[in-house]
Amino acid sequence: MEVTLVILKPSAVQRGIMGEIISRFERKGIQIVGMKMVKLTDETLEEHYSHLIGKPFFGRIKDSMQASPVVVMALKGIDVINAVRKLSGVTNGREAQSGTIRGDYSMSVQENIVHASDSQETAEAELGRFFSENEIFNYSQHLLPYLYAGDEL
Ligand code: IDP
Ligand code: MG
């Protein structure tokens, strides 16, 4: 199974919808294997959003991500990286499909509620950036036979 990183951004924390967003992952059948609240530093954000350094809006993204603590989550499931990107919706909340997190909760490109890793390599690097090994838990999901068929596991 894969593990992916999700960040509940200040737009989720400040609007008081953390629980609603977490519920969406839970009801999908995705297992939460790590979760904590952290304040993001300049250094972490420069690493995390290194592909955006140099863009005119980079300073604004940094301020936005530091407007409050965020919640970092490690989520586990079959093909979970892709599944969570699909649940999140496209970057621009105004363009994101209804039914997705960004489509249902965001009207903005920047204030778009969640971050989700976009590939196996980034998931691995991002989990390592925000979690130490003992903060990601290996525990059995008792409903597993009702979440997946035997040949999917
Ligand atoms: P993603 O979050 O959908 O993977 P990325 O292109 O990796 O999108 O951008 C990371 C984050 O940077 C976005 O989620 C959004 O918050 C912010 N961002 C991206 N492009 C813009 C922009 O053009 N204006 C303002 N913020 C942006
Ligand atoms: Mg991205």
Side-chain angles (χ1 to χ4, degrees), residues 13 15-16 18 20 44-45 51 58-59 65 69 81-82 84 89 100 107 111 131 135 145:
V13 176
R15 286 173 55 189
M18 287 183 282
E20 285 182 43
T44 304
L45 282 167
H51 60 297
F58 186 68
M65 292 296 285
I81 298 166
N82 181 47
V84 167
T100 65
M107 279 294 284
E111 301 303 315
F131 288 97
E135 290 174 324

Short mmCIF file of all heavy atoms in Angstrom, two decimals, residues 13 15-16 18 20 44-45 51 58-59 65 69 81-82 84 89 100 107 111 131 135 145:
data_model
loop_
_atom_site.label_atom_id
_atom_site.label_comp_id
_atom_site.label_asym_id
_atom_site.label_seq_id
_atom_site.Cartn_x
_atom_site.Cartn_y
_atom_site.Cartn_z
N VAL A 13 -7.81 25.46 8.53
CA VAL A 13 -7.72 25.62 10.00
C VAL A 13 -8.55 26.83 10.44
O VAL A 13 -9.38 26.74 11.34
CB VAL A 13 -6.24 25.79 10.43
CG1 VAL A 13 -6.13 26.06 11.93
CG2 VAL A 13 -5.42 24.55 10.04
N ARG A 15 -10.93 28.45 8.89
CA ARG A 15 -12.37 28.40 8.60
C ARG A 15 -13.10 27.34 9.41
O ARG A 15 -14.32 27.20 9.31
CB ARG A 15 -12.57 28.18 7.09
CG ARG A 15 -12.26 29.46 6.30
CD ARG A 15 -12.28 29.22 4.81
NE ARG A 15 -13.53 28.63 4.36
CZ ARG A 15 -13.73 28.17 3.13
NH1 ARG A 15 -12.77 28.24 2.23
NH2 ARG A 15 -14.89 27.65 2.80
N GLY A 16 -12.35 26.61 10.21
CA GLY A 16 -12.99 25.65 11.11
C GLY A 16 -13.58 24.46 10.38
O GLY A 16 -14.62 23.92 10.79
N MET A 18 -11.50 21.74 9.50
CA MET A 18 -10.54 20.63 9.57
C MET A 18 -11.29 19.29 9.70
O MET A 18 -10.99 18.33 9.00
CB MET A 18 -9.61 20.78 10.78
CG MET A 18 -8.59 21.86 10.62
SD MET A 18 -7.49 21.92 12.06
CE MET A 18 -8.51 22.75 13.24
N GLU A 20 -14.32 18.46 8.93
CA GLU A 20 -15.06 18.06 7.71
C GLU A 20 -14.14 17.46 6.67
O GLU A 20 -14.49 16.50 5.98
CB GLU A 20 -15.77 19.28 7.10
CG GLU A 20 -16.99 19.69 7.88
CD GLU A 20 -17.71 20.88 7.24
OE1 GLU A 20 -17.87 20.90 6.01
OE2 GLU A 20 -18.10 21.78 8.01
N THR A 44 11.32 25.25 5.62
CA THR A 44 10.49 24.12 5.19
C THR A 44 9.70 24.47 3.94
O THR A 44 9.58 23.68 3.00
CB THR A 44 9.52 23.70 6.31
OG1 THR A 44 10.29 23.43 7.47
CG2 THR A 44 8.72 22.48 5.95
N LEU A 45 9.13 25.68 3.93
CA LEU A 45 8.29 26.06 2.78
C LEU A 45 9.12 26.24 1.52
O LEU A 45 8.65 25.94 0.42
CB LEU A 45 7.52 27.34 3.11
CG LEU A 45 6.30 27.08 4.00
CD1 LEU A 45 5.75 28.38 4.56
CD2 LEU A 45 5.20 26.34 3.22
N HIS A 51 9.52 24.26 -6.33
CA HIS A 51 9.17 24.43 -7.75
C HIS A 51 8.51 25.79 -8.01
O HIS A 51 8.29 26.14 -9.17
CB HIS A 51 8.28 23.28 -8.24
CG HIS A 51 6.96 23.13 -7.50
ND1 HIS A 51 6.88 22.83 -6.16
CD2 HIS A 51 5.68 23.25 -7.93
CE1 HIS A 51 5.61 22.76 -5.80
NE2 HIS A 51 4.85 23.02 -6.86
N PHE A 58 5.28 33.87 -4.85
CA PHE A 58 5.85 32.95 -3.86
C PHE A 58 5.79 33.52 -2.44
O PHE A 58 5.47 32.81 -1.48
CB PHE A 58 7.29 32.56 -4.22
CG PHE A 58 7.83 31.50 -3.29
CD1 PHE A 58 7.30 30.21 -3.31
CD2 PHE A 58 8.82 31.80 -2.37
CE1 PHE A 58 7.77 29.23 -2.43
CE2 PHE A 58 9.30 30.82 -1.49
CZ PHE A 58 8.76 29.54 -1.52
N GLY A 59 6.09 34.82 -2.30
CA GLY A 59 6.04 35.46 -0.96
C GLY A 59 4.64 35.36 -0.36
O GLY A 59 4.48 35.10 0.83
N MET A 65 0.74 30.26 4.06
CA MET A 65 0.97 28.96 4.71
C MET A 65 1.45 29.12 6.15
O MET A 65 1.48 28.16 6.91
CB MET A 65 2.00 28.14 3.91
CG MET A 65 1.51 27.66 2.56
SD MET A 65 0.12 26.51 2.64
CE MET A 65 0.91 24.99 3.17
N PRO A 69 -0.98 27.67 12.38
CA PRO A 69 -0.43 26.32 12.23
C PRO A 69 -1.22 25.56 11.17
O PRO A 69 -2.35 25.95 10.82
CB PRO A 69 -0.66 25.68 13.61
CG PRO A 69 -1.04 26.78 14.52
CD PRO A 69 -1.54 27.92 13.70
N ILE A 81 -2.06 7.90 -3.40
CA ILE A 81 -1.52 9.19 -3.86
C ILE A 81 -2.46 9.78 -4.91
O ILE A 81 -2.90 10.93 -4.81
CB ILE A 81 -0.08 9.01 -4.42
CG1 ILE A 81 0.85 8.49 -3.31
CG2 ILE A 81 0.44 10.32 -5.02
CD1 ILE A 81 2.19 7.97 -3.80
N ASN A 82 -2.80 8.96 -5.89
CA ASN A 82 -3.71 9.39 -6.95
C ASN A 82 -5.12 9.61 -6.41
O ASN A 82 -5.78 10.60 -6.75
CB ASN A 82 -3.70 8.33 -8.06
CG ASN A 82 -4.60 8.71 -9.21
OD1 ASN A 82 -4.56 9.84 -9.68
ND2 ASN A 82 -5.43 7.78 -9.64
N VAL A 84 -6.10 10.54 -3.47
CA VAL A 84 -6.21 11.77 -2.68
C VAL A 84 -6.11 13.01 -3.57
O VAL A 84 -6.80 14.01 -3.34
CB VAL A 84 -5.16 11.79 -1.54
CG1 VAL A 84 -5.03 13.17 -0.92
CG2 VAL A 84 -5.53 10.77 -0.47
N GLY A 89 -9.10 17.64 -5.94
CA GLY A 89 -9.51 18.48 -7.07
C GLY A 89 -8.34 19.31 -7.59
O GLY A 89 -7.29 19.37 -6.96
N THR A 100 -15.32 17.53 -5.09
CA THR A 100 -13.93 17.48 -4.60
C THR A 100 -13.81 18.47 -3.44
O THR A 100 -14.66 19.36 -3.27
CB THR A 100 -12.92 17.86 -5.70
OG1 THR A 100 -13.11 19.23 -6.08
CG2 THR A 100 -13.08 16.97 -6.93
N MET A 107 -12.80 29.04 -3.38
CA MET A 107 -13.02 29.93 -4.53
C MET A 107 -11.70 30.51 -5.00
O MET A 107 -11.67 31.53 -5.69
CB MET A 107 -13.98 31.06 -4.12
CG MET A 107 -15.44 30.68 -4.14
SD MET A 107 -16.01 30.34 -5.82
CE MET A 107 -16.14 32.02 -6.47
N GLU A 111 -5.80 29.97 -1.75
CA GLU A 111 -6.46 29.52 -0.50
C GLU A 111 -7.30 28.29 -0.81
O GLU A 111 -8.53 28.32 -0.80
CB GLU A 111 -7.32 30.67 0.06
CG GLU A 111 -6.54 31.94 0.37
CD GLU A 111 -5.39 31.71 1.35
OE1 GLU A 111 -5.57 31.02 2.36
OE2 GLU A 111 -4.29 32.23 1.10
N PHE A 131 7.42 14.19 8.90
CA PHE A 131 7.25 13.16 9.94
C PHE A 131 8.56 12.44 10.20
O PHE A 131 9.29 12.12 9.26
CB PHE A 131 6.21 12.11 9.50
CG PHE A 131 4.79 12.61 9.49
CD1 PHE A 131 4.20 13.05 8.32
CD2 PHE A 131 4.04 12.63 10.67
CE1 PHE A 131 2.88 13.52 8.31
CE2 PHE A 131 2.73 13.09 10.67
CZ PHE A 131 2.15 13.53 9.49
N GLU A 135 6.51 8.58 13.98
CA GLU A 135 5.23 9.32 13.97
C GLU A 135 4.27 8.78 12.91
O GLU A 135 3.15 9.25 12.78
CB GLU A 135 5.48 10.81 13.70
CG GLU A 135 6.16 11.51 14.87
CD GLU A 135 6.52 12.94 14.53
OE1 GLU A 135 6.92 13.22 13.37
OE2 GLU A 135 6.44 13.79 15.44
N PRO A 145 -11.46 -5.91 4.98
CA PRO A 145 -12.17 -6.78 4.03
C PRO A 145 -13.42 -6.13 3.43
O PRO A 145 -13.96 -6.60 2.43
CB PRO A 145 -12.59 -7.99 4.88
CG PRO A 145 -11.79 -7.90 6.13
CD PRO A 145 -11.44 -6.47 6.34
#
